[in-house]
Amino acid sequence: MDKQKHLMDITKFIVSHRNEALLVGDYGSYRKQLSRRLLTVNQRLGRASPKGRKYAPKPPISAQDVAGNSEFIALLLLTAERAWAHSLHMKSMHSADSSAKDITGSTRTHIISRLRKAQQTAAHLVEVLRSSKDEQNISQILLEARAYYCMLLGSSCFESQKWENCLKAYSEAHLIYKWLARSRGANQGDPFSELLTSTVDPSIRYAAYQLQLSRTLSITTIVARYLPSDSNYVQEVLKQDPDLLKDVPSSTKRSSDGITKDLPKTISWRSRTVTIEDANIAQALAAASIAEQKLTSSLSANSEQPVKERAGAYDEVLLPSQDAVNATKTAIDELTADGVAQGDQRMQGLQITRTAVNYALVGWRIGRNRVLCGRGDGAHLDPELNRRPKRSREDSEPMATSTESSSKRIARLRERVALYDTILQSLDSVKELPGVAADQIFLEELGTKRLYFASLRCLAIARSHNISGNSKNALALYARALNYSSNLPSQADSDSTSEKPLNIEVTENQANSLHHLLEGLVAQHRALVEIETLNADTAKLEKSTAPGSLPMIERLDDYPVNGADLSNLVVYPPRLRPIPVKPIFLDVAWTYIDYPGRAKKRQEVANGAPEVAIERVDEKKEGRKGWFGFGR
């Protein structure tokens, strides 16, 4: 039973090994990891050469070996994967060198040689599995091995630039993987769908481009045109599902999980509507539409979900939206490479599509950040209780809950400010999209949305100042936030309901709620600042009227707010105390200025200087004699 289960996971075995290795390294590290795994498997099967002995070639793996031990299949898969990883490593090293040109010479020959080695190993695996099975009954295990072989054959033809053979090999791999993904279902079909989207389908598109096929042709049409009809594997798959080669109408498309979805024919942006000619863009937009419907139903059904889980649900929409952006950019780059002018109708349509899909992507990113900010886009700072774990106590009473500390509340507000900064940057990035700068009405709408989030940012910073005890700073920021919210127009999307997921749009209810909240906070903190000011003046007055305070004559720079204290004007009777007579200064020019009476003294000193010098010379001559000051 375990052997059969292992045999059924050929594609999962390949995909999982690639993902685990490439997640933390590159193709070079993947190749080294495969070499270590190969050594382990060879030692377990008794096929490794002992240390210190000369290498001896091993007999090829036969059908009897596979029937006796399923690890021989893993041995063949690891050998093919190591050769494939070696070729990809050489190719990636050449691509990383910016000064290098196209791969030519011995490097290209070596890459093709490694791919042929992987292809031959996979072909041997197919023959072994076919010999161990009844030829009249092609199982799914053999189909997986055949699809893997066709994928490696297509990679070899791709590097050899044999585009027609490449399309034939990849078409067969596409057909088999597509049928396996449908037959396994949505949960178990992920490895096949991953190979289709990451390797097979992009290679088919590029080979079709090299053969100058129309870009409007779908993948299914290209596969049906270049599929080898004499293959037994193709006939077996088509016998199981004859609809695989039927091109679905342009308005519908079936996804890998079996859901039929409508493909949009047009896309609208403001007052412009353009036709979608690229199939990849249409598929990505259809996937994004389905993900949006799932997100709406998920959020409405689970309204009590934690904030992080609700924000994580947006990833299902962000991924297809990003795919639509990438597909649009690829289509624009291909037209640019073909020399199509910017004024061409196709290029203009793609530029409008690019603006629409990028704006949708930015909207979902902003919606995710709004969910992370909390209730009311972060306008309400809900307290979080730190619940301690229950201890085993004799009275069996649970531990009391403690409120959130000021430092943690300030840290939460700092995270919200970072989210608001990200939202504002996203809004600014919309202005760089094609056609936005010329749309003055749209720029005013963007400015309105920016005022809303700038007001929320000021609100969060003001709350942090309020927690720190700076009421005046908090009042100034509250007043600025109120000024921003006052400039918001009254008209908004009044049809928007609370069940719709948050995005870039700001509703009238949200703007009014924020404005009323800020009005209350400004009025409240004005009163608080006024009370603090009165308390400070009262304390100052009490200090000035306290016994032993300075008289008013020495406090003329302080204005008495509550009236002058006429009983403490001056000190009477006056007491004896020191007073400053004159300022003390240092004249650094004393030695350079001639004062009256100093000229005569300077002359006497100048006349006596040589005698002093002579006396010093005589003293020097009569100094020590001999060593250590002794005389001889």
Side-chain angles (χ1 to χ4, degrees):
M1 184 68 181
D2 295 340
K3 182 195 307 183
Q4 185 71 9
K5 182 179 179 182
H6 182 77
L7 292 176
M8 293 294 292
D9 292 339
I10 292 179
T11 306
K12 185 178 180 180
F13 179 86
I14 297 166
V15 173
S16 61
H17 276 70
R18 289 183 182 181
N19 291 341
E20 290 176 4
L22 299 179
L23 185 64
V24 295
D26 55 358
Y27 292 105
S29 60
Y30 182 38
R31 177 194 173 199
K32 294 178 182 178
Q33 178 183 347
L34 291 171
S35 298
R36 293 191 295 267
R37 290 290 304 274
L38 272 173
L39 178 60
T40 303
V41 174
N42 278 320
Q43 290 175 349
R44 193 181 298 126
L45 295 175
R47 295 172 60 90
S49 300
K51 287 187 177 180
R53 295 189 182 180
K54 188 177 180 181
Y55 170 76
K58 303 297 184 296
I61 298 174
S62 61
Q64 291 77 14
D65 296 332
V66 173
N69 193 343
S70 61
E71 284 193 341
F72 283 99
I73 295 181
L75 182 63
L76 290 173
L77 289 174
L78 291 173
T79 304
E81 280 291 288
R82 184 175 66 170
W84 175 82
H86 190 189
S87 66
L88 268 292
H89 175 61
M90 289 187 292
K91 188 175 180 180
S92 62
M93 291 293 292
H94 186 275
S95 301
D97 187 6
S98 58
S99 61
K101 298 181 180 179
D102 294 339
I103 303 177
T104 55
S106 59
T107 305
R108 182 170 178 268
T109 305
H110 197 184
I111 292 174
I112 297 174
S113 172
R114 292 295 86 197
L115 288 174
R116 286 178 179 171
K117 171 68 180 301
Q119 167 198 337
Q120 292 170 2
T121 307
H124 181 56
L125 173 62
V126 173
E127 291 300 324
V128 167
L129 291 175
R130 186 172 182 177
S131 301
S132 61
K133 298 287 180 182
D134 185 7
E135 294 187 5
Q136 302 298 328
N137 184 18
I138 300 178
S139 64
Q140 292 189 5
I141 310 168
L142 185 55
L143 284 176
E144 288 188 42
R146 176 66 181 183
Y148 179 60
Y149 160 74
C150 292
M151 188 171 62
L152 293 178
L153 175 61
S155 300
S156 177
C157 296
F158 189 95
E159 295 300 329
S160 303
Q161 298 183 0
K162 299 176 181 178
W163 304 117
E164 189 169 353
N165 295 336
C166 175
L167 272 181
K168 291 180 180 179
Y170 274 125
S171 297
E172 186 174 353
H174 174 89
L175 184 73
I176 297 174
Y177 280 139
K178 187 176 180 180
W179 178 76
L180 289 172
R182 287 191 183 183
S183 61
R184 295 289 180 87
N187 296 329
Q188 299 181 2
D190 291 340
F192 309 106
S193 301
E194 184 174 349
L195 287 177
L196 281 174
T197 56
S198 63
T199 305
V200 178
D201 290 353
S203 301
I204 291 176
R205 280 290 177 192
Y206 188 81
Y209 169 75
Q210 292 293 334
L211 291 176
Q212 298 181 357
L213 298 180
S214 175
R215 292 189 182 88
T216 59
L217 294 177
S218 63
I219 295 290
T220 306
T221 304
I222 298 174
V223 168
R225 182 179 299 181
Y226 287 90
L227 195 65
S229 58
D230 56 345
S231 174
N232 295 332
Y233 305 96
V234 173
Q235 295 175 3
E236 179 68 21
V237 170
L238 292 178
K239 187 188 302 182
Q240 299 290 336
D241 190 353
D243 297 336
L244 284 175
L245 287 182
K246 291 183 179 179
D247 196 7
V248 184
S250 58
S251 58
T252 59
K253 187 72 175 179
R254 181 182 292 178
S255 60
S256 59
D257 53 3
I259 300 176
T260 303
K261 53 188 178 181
D262 294 334
L263 292 184
K265 297 181 179 180
T266 59
I267 186 171
S268 299
W269 169 250
R270 308 291 289 173
S271 59
R272 301 285 299 274
T273 302
V274 295
T275 304
I276 301 176
E277 298 181 355
D278 196 298
N280 293 332
I281 300 176
Q283 292 177 12
L285 289 176
S289 177
I290 291 179
E292 181 181 351
Q293 296 174 6
K294 291 182 179 179
L295 175 64
T296 304
S297 59
S298 173
L299 294 182
S300 59
N302 305 317
S303 57
E304 301 298 329
Q305 273 186 335
V307 171
K308 291 186 178 180
E309 293 184 7
R310 291 173 64 87
Y314 277 77
D315 294 340
E316 301 297 330
V317 184
L318 289 172
L319 291 176
S321 300
Q322 184 65 52
D323 292 340
V325 172
N326 296 338
T328 307
K329 184 179 182 302
T330 303
I332 292 176
D333 293 341
E334 290 177 354
L335 289 182
T336 305
D338 291 345
V340 179
Q342 293 294 327
D344 190 88
Q345 184 178 0
R346 294 173 297 169
M347 184 66 76
Q348 290 292 322
L350 285 175
Q351 293 291 356
I352 295 174
T353 306
R354 176 189 175 190
T355 303
V357 296
N358 275 279
Y359 183 74
L361 177 63
V362 170
W364 290 120
R365 286 176 179 172
I366 291 177
R368 184 178 184 273
N369 291 334
R370 291 176 69 178
V371 172
L372 288 173
C373 288
R375 184 168 62 94
D377 293 333
H380 305 279
L381 186 61
D382 298 329
E384 290 186 358
L385 297 179
N386 299 327
R387 299 185 178 273
R388 300 178 181 176
K390 296 182 179 180
R391 300 180 183 177
S392 57
R393 298 174 57 181
E394 297 179 358
D395 52 1
S396 65
E397 293 182 358
M399 298 290 293
T401 57
S402 60
T403 57
E404 192 177 15
S405 62
S406 300
S407 59
K408 290 186 177 179
R409 283 190 292 169
I410 293 177
R412 287 173 54 202
L413 290 170
R414 189 180 297 114
E415 293 176 358
R416 289 189 182 181
V417 171
L419 290 173
Y420 294 138
D421 289 337
T422 305
I423 291 174
L424 294 175
Q425 291 175 4
S426 300
L427 288 174
D428 293 338
S429 66
V430 175
K431 300 178 182 178
E432 301 175 2
L433 296 176
V436 172
D439 194 343
Q440 192 63 31
I441 299 177
F442 181 68
L443 288 178
E444 292 177 359
E445 294 178 3
L446 280 180
T448 300
K449 296 178 177 62
R450 201 180 193 285
L451 285 176
Y452 176 77
F453 293 109
S455 178
L456 288 170
R457 182 178 182 274
C458 291
L459 173 60
I461 300 175
R463 281 203 169 116
S464 63
H465 280 281
N466 187 30
I467 294 173
S468 303
N470 300 325
S471 299
K472 292 184 179 180
N473 295 346
L475 175 60
L477 288 166
Y478 282 136
R480 172 166 291 189
L482 179 61
N483 184 27
Y484 286 155
S485 64
S486 302
N487 294 328
L488 294 175
S490 58
Q491 77 275 3
D493 305 330
S494 53
D495 337 342
S496 302
T497 60
S498 58
E499 297 181 356
K500 187 176 181 180
L502 292 175
N503 51 17
I504 197 173
E505 302 300 332
V506 179
T507 64
E508 184 179 0
N509 294 334
Q510 293 167 350
N512 292 338
S513 175
L514 176 62
H515 184 70
H516 295 330
L517 175 65
L518 289 172
E519 284 181 341
L521 289 173
V522 168
Q524 176 187 2
H525 282 76
R526 276 177 181 167
L528 291 175
V529 170
E530 186 67 23
I531 292 173
E532 290 179 0
T533 305
L534 291 176
N535 291 338
D537 293 341
T538 304
K540 192 175 182 181
L541 178 61
E542 292 177 355
K543 183 179 179 181
S544 63
T545 57
S549 60
L550 294 177
M552 181 172 290
I553 194 172
E554 297 182 10
R555 294 185 290 105
L556 296 178
D557 54 334
D558 294 339
Y559 179 75
V561 180
N562 298 322
D565 184 12
L566 300 180
S567 62
N568 192 16
L569 296 177
V570 293
V571 177
Y572 185 84
R575 305 182 206 143
L576 184 63
R577 59 177 182 174
I579 59 174
V581 179
K582 59 181 179 180
I584 301 174
F585 62 91
L586 176 62
D587 193 351
V588 295
W590 173 264
T591 56
Y592 301 97
I593 300 177
D594 290 335
Y595 291 92
R598 290 189 60 201
K600 185 177 180 180
K601 293 181 180 181
R602 291 177 61 186
Q603 186 176 2
E604 292 177 358
V605 172
N607 294 337
E611 297 179 1
V612 176
I614 293 172
E615 291 177 2
R616 289 181 178 177
V617 172
D618 294 342
E619 290 177 2
K620 187 176 181 181
K621 289 182 179 180
E622 295 177 2
R624 301 174 181 177
K625 296 180 181 179
W627 296 94
F628 307 105
F630 294 86
R632 290 194 291 180

